Coordinates of all heavy atoms in Angstrom, one line a residue:
M4 N 1.0 -30.5 16.5 CA 1.4 -30.6 17.8 C 2.2 -31.9 18.2 O 1.8 -32.9 17.8 CB 0.1 -30.5 18.7 CG -0.7 -29.4 18.5 SD -0.7 -28.3 19.9 CE -1.7 -29.3 21.1
T5 N 3.2 -31.6 18.8 CA 4.2 -32.8 19.1 C 4.9 -32.6 20.5 O 5.0 -31.4 20.8 CB 5.2 -33.0 18.1 OG1 6.0 -34.1 18.4 CG2 5.9 -31.8 17.7
E6 N 5.3 -33.6 21.1 CA 6.0 -33.5 22.3 C 7.6 -33.4 22.1 O 8.4 -33.1 22.9 CB 5.8 -34.6 23.4 CG 4.3 -34.6 23.8 CD 4.1 -35.1 25.1 OE1 5.1 -35.6 25.8 OE2 3.1 -35.0 25.6
H7 N 7.9 -33.7 20.8 CA 9.3 -33.6 20.4 C 9.8 -32.2 20.3 O 9.3 -31.4 19.7 CB 9.5 -34.5 19.1 CG 10.9 -34.6 18.7 ND1 11.9 -35.2 19.2 CD2 11.5 -33.7 17.6 CE1 12.9 -35.1 18.6 NE2 12.8 -34.3 17.8
L8 N 11.0 -32.1 20.8 CA 11.7 -30.7 20.6 C 12.7 -31.0 19.5 O 13.6 -31.7 19.6 CB 12.3 -30.3 21.9 CG 11.5 -29.9 23.0 CD1 12.2 -29.6 24.3 CD2 10.7 -28.5 22.7
K9 N 12.6 -30.0 18.5 CA 13.6 -30.0 17.5 C 15.0 -29.6 18.0 O 15.1 -28.9 19.0 CB 13.2 -29.1 16.4 CG 12.0 -29.5 15.6 CD 11.8 -28.5 14.4 CE 10.6 -29.1 13.6 NZ 10.2 -28.1 12.5
P10 N 16.0 -30.2 17.3 CA 17.4 -29.6 17.7 C 17.4 -28.1 17.6 O 16.8 -27.5 16.8 CB 18.3 -30.4 16.8 CG 17.5 -31.5 16.2 CD 16.0 -31.1 16.2
C11 N 18.4 -27.5 18.2 CA 18.7 -26.2 18.2 C 18.9 -25.7 16.7 O 19.8 -26.3 16.0 CB 19.9 -25.8 19.0 SG 20.4 -24.1 18.9
P12 N 18.2 -24.7 16.3 CA 18.4 -24.1 15.0 C 19.7 -23.6 14.7 O 20.2 -23.3 13.5 CB 17.2 -23.1 14.7 CG 16.9 -22.8 16.1 CD 17.2 -23.9 17.1
F13 N 20.5 -23.3 15.6 CA 21.8 -22.6 15.6 C 23.0 -23.5 15.6 O 23.8 -23.3 14.8 CB 22.0 -21.5 16.7 CG 20.8 -20.6 16.8 CD1 19.9 -20.8 18.0 CD2 20.3 -19.7 15.8 CE1 18.9 -19.8 18.1 CE2 19.2 -19.0 15.9 CZ 18.6 -18.9 17.1
C14 N 22.9 -24.4 16.5 CA 24.1 -25.3 16.5 C 23.7 -26.8 16.4 O 24.6 -27.7 16.5 CB 24.8 -25.0 18.0 SG 23.9 -25.7 19.3
G15 N 22.6 -27.1 16.3 CA 22.0 -28.4 16.3 C 22.0 -29.2 17.6 O 21.9 -30.4 17.6
G16 N 22.3 -28.5 18.7 CA 22.4 -29.1 20.0 C 21.0 -29.7 20.5 O 19.9 -29.3 20.0
K17 N 21.1 -30.3 21.6 CA 19.9 -30.9 22.1 C 19.1 -29.8 22.9 O 19.8 -29.1 23.7 CB 20.2 -32.0 23.0 CG 19.0 -32.7 23.7 CD 19.5 -33.9 24.5 CE 18.4 -34.5 25.5 NZ 17.1 -34.4 25.0
A18 N 17.8 -29.7 22.7 CA 17.0 -28.7 23.4 C 16.3 -29.2 24.7 O 15.9 -30.5 24.6 CB 16.0 -28.2 22.4
N19 N 16.1 -28.5 25.6 CA 15.7 -29.0 26.9 C 14.6 -28.1 27.3 O 14.7 -26.9 27.5 CB 16.7 -29.3 28.0 CG 17.7 -30.3 27.6 OD1 17.3 -31.3 27.4 ND2 18.9 -29.9 27.7
M20 N 13.4 -28.6 27.9 CA 12.5 -27.8 28.6 C 13.1 -27.4 30.0 O 13.6 -28.3 30.7 CB 11.1 -28.5 28.9 CG 10.1 -27.8 29.4 SD 9.5 -26.4 28.5 CE 8.5 -27.3 27.1
T21 N 13.0 -26.1 30.3 CA 13.7 -25.7 31.5 C 12.8 -24.8 32.3 O 11.9 -24.0 31.7 CB 14.9 -24.8 31.0 OG1 15.7 -25.4 30.3 CG2 15.7 -24.3 32.3
T22 N 12.8 -24.9 33.6 CA 11.9 -24.0 34.4 C 12.9 -23.4 35.3 O 14.0 -23.9 35.8 CB 10.8 -24.8 35.3 OG1 11.5 -25.6 36.1 CG2 9.9 -25.5 34.3
E23 N 12.4 -22.1 35.7 CA 13.4 -21.2 36.6 C 12.6 -20.5 37.5 O 11.5 -19.8 37.1 CB 14.2 -20.4 35.7 CG 15.2 -19.6 36.4 CD 15.8 -18.7 35.1 OE1 16.8 -19.4 34.4 OE2 15.7 -17.5 34.9
A24 N 12.9 -20.3 38.9 CA 12.1 -19.5 39.6 C 12.1 -18.1 39.4 O 13.3 -17.6 39.1 CB 12.6 -19.8 41.1
C25 N 11.1 -17.4 39.4 CA 11.0 -16.0 39.1 C 11.9 -15.2 40.4 O 11.7 -15.7 41.6 CB 9.8 -15.4 39.0 SG 9.7 -13.7 38.8
L26 N 12.5 -14.2 40.1 CA 13.4 -13.5 41.1 C 12.6 -13.0 42.3 O 13.0 -12.9 43.5 CB 14.3 -12.5 40.7 CG 15.5 -13.1 39.8 CD1 16.3 -11.8 39.2 CD2 16.4 -14.0 40.6
D27 N 11.3 -12.7 41.9 CA 10.4 -12.1 43.1 C 9.8 -13.1 43.9 O 9.0 -12.9 44.8 CB 9.4 -11.1 42.5 CG 8.3 -11.8 41.7 OD1 8.4 -13.1 41.6 OD2 7.6 -11.1 41.0
G28 N 9.9 -14.5 43.5 CA 9.5 -15.6 44.3 C 8.0 -15.8 43.9 O 7.5 -16.8 44.7
G29 N 7.4 -15.1 43.2 CA 5.9 -15.3 42.9 C 5.5 -16.5 42.0 O 4.4 -16.6 41.8
G30 N 6.4 -16.9 41.2 CA 6.2 -17.7 40.2 C 7.4 -18.4 39.5 O 8.5 -18.3 40.2
R31 N 7.2 -18.9 38.4 CA 8.2 -19.5 37.7 C 8.2 -19.3 36.2 O 7.1 -18.9 35.6 CB 8.3 -21.0 37.7 CG 8.3 -21.5 39.2 CD 8.4 -23.1 39.3 NE 9.6 -23.6 38.8 CZ 10.8 -23.8 39.4 NH1 11.0 -23.3 40.7 NH2 11.8 -24.2 38.9
F32 N 9.4 -19.2 35.5 CA 9.5 -19.1 34.0 C 9.7 -20.6 33.4 O 10.4 -21.4 34.1 CB 10.6 -18.2 33.7 CG 10.4 -16.8 33.9 CD1 11.1 -16.1 35.0 CD2 9.5 -16.0 33.3 CE1 10.8 -14.9 35.3 CE2 9.4 -14.7 33.6 CZ 10.0 -14.1 34.6
A33 N 9.1 -20.9 32.4 CA 9.3 -22.0 31.8 C 9.7 -21.7 30.2 O 9.3 -20.9 29.6 CB 8.2 -22.9 31.6
Y34 N 10.8 -22.3 29.8 CA 11.2 -22.2 28.4 C 12.0 -23.3 27.9 O 12.4 -24.1 28.7 CB 12.1 -20.8 28.4 CG 13.2 -20.8 29.3 CD1 14.5 -21.3 29.1 CD2 13.0 -20.3 30.6 CE1 15.5 -21.2 29.9 CE2 14.1 -20.1 31.5 CZ 15.3 -20.7 31.2 OH 16.3 -20.6 32.1
V35 N 12.3 -23.3 26.6 CA 13.2 -24.2 26.0 C 14.6 -23.6 25.8 O 14.7 -22.4 25.4 CB 12.7 -24.7 24.7 CG1 13.6 -25.7 24.0 CG2 11.3 -25.4 24.9
R36 N 15.5 -24.3 26.2 CA 17.0 -23.9 26.1 C 17.9 -25.0 25.5 O 17.7 -26.1 25.7 CB 17.5 -23.5 27.4 CG 18.9 -22.9 27.3 CD 19.3 -22.3 28.6 NE 19.4 -23.2 29.7 CZ 19.7 -23.0 31.0 NH1 19.9 -21.7 31.4 NH2 19.8 -23.9 31.9
C37 N 18.7 -24.5 24.6 CA 19.7 -25.4 24.0 C 20.8 -25.8 25.0 O 21.3 -24.9 25.7 CB 20.3 -24.6 22.7 SG 21.7 -25.6 22.0
S38 N 21.2 -27.0 25.1 CA 22.1 -27.5 26.1 C 23.4 -27.2 25.7 O 24.4 -27.1 26.4 CB 21.9 -29.0 26.2 OG 22.3 -29.7 24.9
Q39 N 23.6 -26.7 24.3 CA 25.0 -26.4 23.9 C 25.3 -24.9 23.9 O 26.2 -24.3 24.5 CB 25.3 -27.0 22.5 CG 25.5 -28.5 22.6 CD 26.1 -29.1 21.3 OE1 27.1 -28.5 20.7 NE2 25.5 -30.1 20.9
C40 N 24.4 -24.1 23.1 CA 24.8 -22.7 22.9 C 23.8 -21.8 23.8 O 24.1 -20.5 23.9 CB 24.5 -22.4 21.5 SG 22.9 -22.3 20.8
K41 N 23.0 -22.4 24.6 CA 22.0 -21.6 25.5 C 21.0 -20.7 24.9 O 20.6 -19.9 25.4 CB 23.0 -20.9 26.5 CG 24.0 -21.6 27.1 CD 23.5 -23.0 27.8 CE 24.6 -23.7 28.5 NZ 24.2 -25.0 29.0
A42 N 20.8 -21.0 23.6 CA 19.7 -20.2 22.8 C 18.5 -20.6 23.6 O 18.3 -21.7 24.0 CB 19.7 -20.6 21.4
K43 N 17.6 -19.6 23.7 CA 16.4 -19.8 24.4 C 15.1 -19.4 23.7 O 15.2 -18.6 22.9 CB 16.3 -18.8 25.6 CG 17.2 -19.3 26.9 CD 17.5 -18.3 27.9 CE 16.2 -17.9 28.5 NZ 16.4 -16.8 29.6
S44 N 14.1 -20.1 23.9 CA 12.8 -19.7 23.4 C 12.2 -18.5 24.4 O 12.9 -18.1 25.3 CB 11.8 -21.0 23.5 OG 11.4 -21.1 24.8
R45 N 11.1 -18.0 23.8 CA 10.5 -17.1 24.8 C 10.1 -17.7 26.2 O 9.7 -18.8 26.1 CB 9.1 -16.6 24.1 CG 8.6 -15.2 24.6 CD 7.7 -14.6 23.6 NE 6.4 -15.5 23.4 CZ 5.4 -15.3 24.0 NH1 5.2 -14.7 25.1 NH2 4.3 -16.0 23.7
E46 N 10.3 -16.9 27.1 CA 9.9 -17.3 28.5 C 8.4 -17.3 28.7 O 7.8 -16.2 28.3 CB 10.7 -16.5 29.6 CG 12.2 -16.6 29.5 CD 12.9 -15.9 30.5 OE1 12.2 -15.0 31.0 OE2 14.0 -16.2 30.8
H47 N 7.8 -18.3 29.4 CA 6.4 -18.2 29.7 C 6.3 -18.2 31.2 O 6.8 -19.1 31.9 CB 5.7 -19.4 29.2 CG 5.4 -19.3 27.7 ND1 4.2 -19.2 27.1 CD2 6.2 -19.2 26.7 CE1 4.2 -19.0 25.8 NE2 5.5 -19.2 25.5
Y48 N 5.7 -17.1 31.7 CA 5.5 -16.9 33.2 C 4.4 -17.6 33.7 O 3.2 -17.5 33.1 CB 5.5 -15.6 33.6 CG 5.3 -15.3 35.1 CD1 6.4 -15.3 35.9 CD2 4.1 -14.9 35.5 CE1 6.1 -15.1 37.3 CE2 3.9 -14.8 36.9 CZ 5.0 -14.8 37.7 OH 4.7 -14.6 39.2
H49 N 4.3 -18.2 34.8 CA 3.2 -18.9 35.4 C 3.3 -18.7 37.0 O 4.4 -18.8 37.4 CB 2.9 -20.3 35.1 CG 4.0 -21.2 35.3 ND1 4.2 -21.8 36.5 CD2 5.1 -21.6 34.6 CE1 5.2 -22.6 36.5 NE2 5.8 -22.5 35.4
S50 N 2.3 -18.4 37.7 CA 2.2 -18.5 39.1 C 2.6 -19.7 39.6 O 2.4 -20.8 39.1 CB 1.0 -17.7 39.7 OG -0.1 -18.6 39.2
Y51 N 3.1 -19.8 40.8 CA 3.5 -21.0 41.4 C 2.5 -22.0 41.4 O 1.5 -21.8 42.0 CB 4.2 -20.8 42.8 CG 4.9 -22.0 43.3 CD1 6.2 -22.4 42.9 CD2 4.3 -22.8 44.4 CE1 6.8 -23.4 43.3 CE2 4.9 -23.9 44.8 CZ 6.3 -24.1 44.3 OH 6.9 -25.3 44.9
G52 N 2.7 -23.2 40.8 CA 1.8 -24.4 40.9 C 0.8 -24.3 39.8 O 0.0 -25.2 39.7
N53 N 0.8 -23.2 39.0 CA -0.1 -23.1 37.9 C 0.4 -23.5 36.6 O -0.3 -22.9 35.6 CB -0.8 -21.6 37.9 CG -1.8 -21.5 39.0 OD1 -2.4 -22.5 39.5 ND2 -2.0 -20.3 39.5
D54 N 1.4 -24.2 36.4 CA 1.8 -24.5 35.2 C 0.9 -25.7 34.7 O 0.2 -26.2 35.5 CB 3.4 -25.1 35.1 CG 3.5 -26.2 36.2 OD1 2.8 -26.1 37.2 OD2 4.4 -27.0 36.2
C55 N 0.8 -25.8 33.4 CA -0.1 -26.9 32.9 C 0.4 -27.3 31.5 O 1.2 -26.8 30.7 CB -1.5 -26.1 32.7 SG -1.5 -25.0 31.3
P56 N -0.1 -28.4 31.1 CA 0.4 -29.1 29.8 C 0.2 -28.3 28.6 O 1.1 -28.3 27.7 CB -0.4 -30.5 29.8 CG -0.8 -30.7 31.1 CD -1.2 -29.4 31.9
V57 N -0.8 -27.5 28.6 CA -1.1 -26.6 27.4 C 0.1 -25.6 27.3 O 0.4 -25.3 26.1 CB -2.5 -25.9 27.6 CG1 -2.6 -24.9 26.5 CG2 -3.6 -26.9 27.6
M58 N 0.4 -25.1 28.5 CA 1.5 -24.0 28.4 C 2.8 -24.6 27.9 O 3.5 -24.1 26.9 CB 1.8 -23.5 29.8 CG 2.8 -22.3 29.8 SD 3.4 -22.1 31.6 CE 4.4 -23.4 31.9
Y59 N 3.1 -25.9 28.4 CA 4.4 -26.5 27.9 C 4.2 -26.9 26.5 O 5.4 -26.8 25.6 CB 4.7 -27.7 28.7 CG 5.1 -27.5 30.2 CD1 4.3 -27.8 31.2 CD2 6.2 -26.8 30.4 CE1 4.7 -27.4 32.5 CE2 6.7 -26.4 31.6 CZ 5.8 -26.8 32.7 OH 6.4 -26.6 34.1
Q60 N 3.2 -27.2 25.9 CA 2.9 -27.5 24.6 C 3.1 -26.2 23.7 O 3.7 -26.4 22.7 CB 1.5 -28.0 24.4 CG 1.3 -28.5 22.9 CD 2.2 -29.7 22.4 OE1 2.2 -30.8 23.2 NE2 3.1 -29.5 21.5
T61 N 2.6 -25.1 24.2 CA 2.8 -23.9 23.5 C 4.2 -23.5 23.4 O 4.7 -23.2 22.2 CB 2.0 -22.8 24.3 OG1 0.6 -22.9 24.2 CG2 2.2 -21.4 23.6
I62 N 4.9 -23.7 24.5 CA 6.5 -23.4 24.4 C 7.1 -24.4 23.3 O 8.0 -24.0 22.7 CB 7.0 -23.7 25.9 CG1 6.3 -22.6 26.8 CG2 8.6 -23.5 25.9 CD1 6.7 -23.0 28.3
R63 N 6.7 -25.7 23.5 CA 7.4 -26.6 22.5 C 7.1 -26.1 21.0 O 8.0 -26.1 20.1 CB 6.8 -27.9 22.7 CG 7.4 -28.7 23.8 CD 6.8 -30.2 23.7 NE 6.9 -30.8 25.1 CZ 5.7 -30.8 25.9 NH1 4.6 -30.3 25.4 NH2 5.8 -31.3 27.1
D64 N 5.9 -25.8 20.8 CA 5.4 -25.4 19.4 C 6.2 -24.1 19.0 O 6.6 -24.0 17.8 CB 3.8 -25.1 19.4 CG 3.1 -26.4 19.4 OD1 3.7 -27.5 19.3 OD2 1.8 -26.2 19.6
E65 N 6.3 -23.2 20.0 CA 7.2 -22.1 19.6 C 8.6 -22.3 19.2 O 9.1 -21.8 18.2 CB 7.1 -21.0 20.8 CG 5.7 -20.3 21.0 CD 5.9 -19.2 22.1 OE1 6.8 -19.0 22.6 OE2 4.8 -18.6 22.2
W66 N 9.2 -23.2 20.0 CA 10.5 -23.6 19.8 C 10.6 -24.3 18.4 O 11.6 -24.0 17.6 CB 11.1 -24.4 20.9 CG 12.4 -25.1 20.5 CD1 12.7 -26.2 20.0 CD2 13.7 -24.5 20.8 NE1 14.0 -26.4 19.8 CE2 14.7 -25.3 20.3 CE3 14.0 -23.3 21.3 CZ2 16.0 -25.1 20.4 CZ3 15.5 -22.9 21.5 CH2 16.5 -23.9 21.0
N67 N 9.8 -25.2 18.2 CA 9.8 -26.0 16.9 C 9.4 -25.1 15.7 O 9.9 -25.5 14.6 CB 8.8 -27.2 17.1 CG 9.3 -28.3 18.0 OD1 10.4 -28.3 18.3 ND2 8.5 -29.1 18.4
T68 N 8.8 -24.0 15.8 CA 8.4 -23.3 14.6 C 9.2 -22.0 14.5 O 9.4 -21.5 13.5 CB 6.9 -23.0 14.7 OG1 6.7 -22.1 15.9 CG2 6.0 -24.0 14.7
R69 N 9.8 -21.5 15.5 CA 10.5 -20.3 15.5 C 12.0 -20.4 15.1 O 12.8 -20.1 15.9 CB 10.4 -19.3 16.7 CG 8.9 -19.1 16.9 CD 8.7 -18.1 18.1 NE 9.3 -16.9 18.0 CZ 9.6 -16.1 19.0 NH1 9.4 -16.6 20.3 NH2 10.0 -15.0 19.0
T70 N 12.3 -21.0 14.0 CA 13.8 -21.3 13.7 C 14.6 -20.1 13.4 O 15.7 -20.0 13.2 CB 13.9 -22.4 12.6 OG1 13.1 -21.9 11.5 CG2 13.3 -23.8 13.0
A71 N 13.7 -19.0 13.1 CA 14.4 -17.8 12.8 C 14.8 -17.0 14.0 O 15.5 -16.0 14.0 CB 13.5 -16.8 12.1
L72 N 14.5 -17.5 15.2 CA 14.9 -17.0 16.5 C 16.4 -16.7 16.4 O 17.2 -17.6 16.1 CB 14.4 -18.0 17.7 CG 14.7 -17.4 19.1 CD1 13.5 -16.3 19.4 CD2 14.5 -18.5 20.1
T73 N 16.8 -15.5 16.9 CA 18.2 -15.1 16.9 C 18.7 -15.0 18.3 O 18.2 -14.1 19.0 CB 18.5 -13.9 15.9 OG1 17.9 -14.1 14.7 CG2 19.9 -13.6 15.9
P74 N 19.8 -15.5 18.7 CA 20.3 -15.2 20.0 C 20.9 -13.9 20.1 O 21.4 -13.3 19.0 CB 21.4 -16.4 20.2 CG 21.8 -16.6 18.7 CD 20.6 -16.6 17.9
T75 N 20.9 -13.4 21.2 CA 21.6 -12.0 21.4 C 23.1 -12.2 21.3 O 23.6 -13.3 21.5 CB 21.2 -11.5 22.9 OG1 21.9 -12.3 23.8 CG2 19.7 -11.4 23.1
P76 N 23.8 -11.2 21.1 CA 25.3 -11.2 21.0 C 25.9 -11.9 22.3 O 26.8 -12.7 22.2 CB 25.7 -9.9 20.8 CG 24.6 -9.2 20.2 CD 23.4 -9.8 20.8
Q77 N 25.3 -11.5 23.5 CA 25.8 -12.2 24.6 C 25.6 -13.7 24.7 O 26.5 -14.5 25.1 CB 25.2 -11.5 25.9 CG 25.5 -10.0 26.2 CD 24.5 -9.2 25.4 OE1 23.9 -9.5 24.4 NE2 24.1 -8.2 26.0
E78 N 24.5 -14.1 24.2 CA 24.1 -15.6 24.3 C 25.0 -16.3 23.3 O 25.5 -17.3 23.5 CB 22.7 -15.8 23.9 CG 21.7 -15.4 25.1 CD 20.4 -15.4 24.8 OE1 20.0 -15.3 23.5 OE2 19.5 -15.7 25.5
A79 N 25.3 -15.6 22.1 CA 26.0 -16.2 21.0 C 27.5 -16.4 21.5 O 28.3 -17.2 21.0 CB 26.0 -15.5 19.8
A80 N 27.9 -15.5 22.5 CA 29.3 -15.4 22.8 C 29.7 -16.5 23.8 O 30.8 -16.7 24.2 CB 29.7 -14.1 23.2
R81 N 28.7 -17.0 24.6 CA 28.8 -17.9 25.6 C 29.4 -19.2 25.2 O 29.0 -19.6 24.1 CB 27.7 -18.1 26.4 CG 27.4 -17.1 27.6 CD 26.2 -17.5 28.3 NE 25.4 -16.2 28.6 CZ 24.2 -16.1 28.8 NH1 23.5 -17.2 28.6 NH2 23.6 -14.9 29.0
Ligands
ZN7 ZN1 22.1 -24.3 20.2

């Protein structure tokens, strides 16, 4: 377990923890996204105000271990 985010497995770009409001307004998504090619980790949904350090740690661990993650053609084309 670490707070460090590995560089993007596709382009070596800097990865950032990102949160985004859910379109229905009931909560937020959190995920890691590459600042260069926009590759994303799996999104984790949480209701508004219910994010927690454990959830962010899970997202970090997924990003750091899922180097086989493949961007969709649309994401790769951006
Ligand atoms: Zn990238």
Side-chain angles (χ1 to χ4, degrees):
M4 300 247 295
T5 172
E6 300 212 347
H7 178 70
L8 288 170
K9 287 184 179 176
C11 174
F13 310 112
C14 72
K17 181 170 167 42
N19 295 305
M20 183 67 71
T21 306
T22 61
E23 179 178 289
C25 182
L26 289 179
D27 70 10
R31 297 183 70 83
F32 291 106
Y34 53 89
V35 174
R36 183 169 62 185
C37 172
S38 61
Q39 289 192 43
C40 73
K41 310 305 182 190
K43 284 164 61 174
S44 72
R45 194 160 67 86
E46 295 178 342
H47 284 249
Y48 177 81
H49 56 88
S50 57
Y51 191 74
N53 280 334
D54 52 336
C55 69
V57 173
M58 184 193 72
Y59 290 114
Q60 185 65 60
T61 300
I62 297 169
R63 282 189 208 99
D64 287 347
E65 285 186 359
W66 174 264
N67 287 340
T68 56
R69 294 180 72 200
T70 53
L72 187 72
T73 306
T75 66
Q77 293 94 320
E78 286 171 333
R81 268 182 227 152

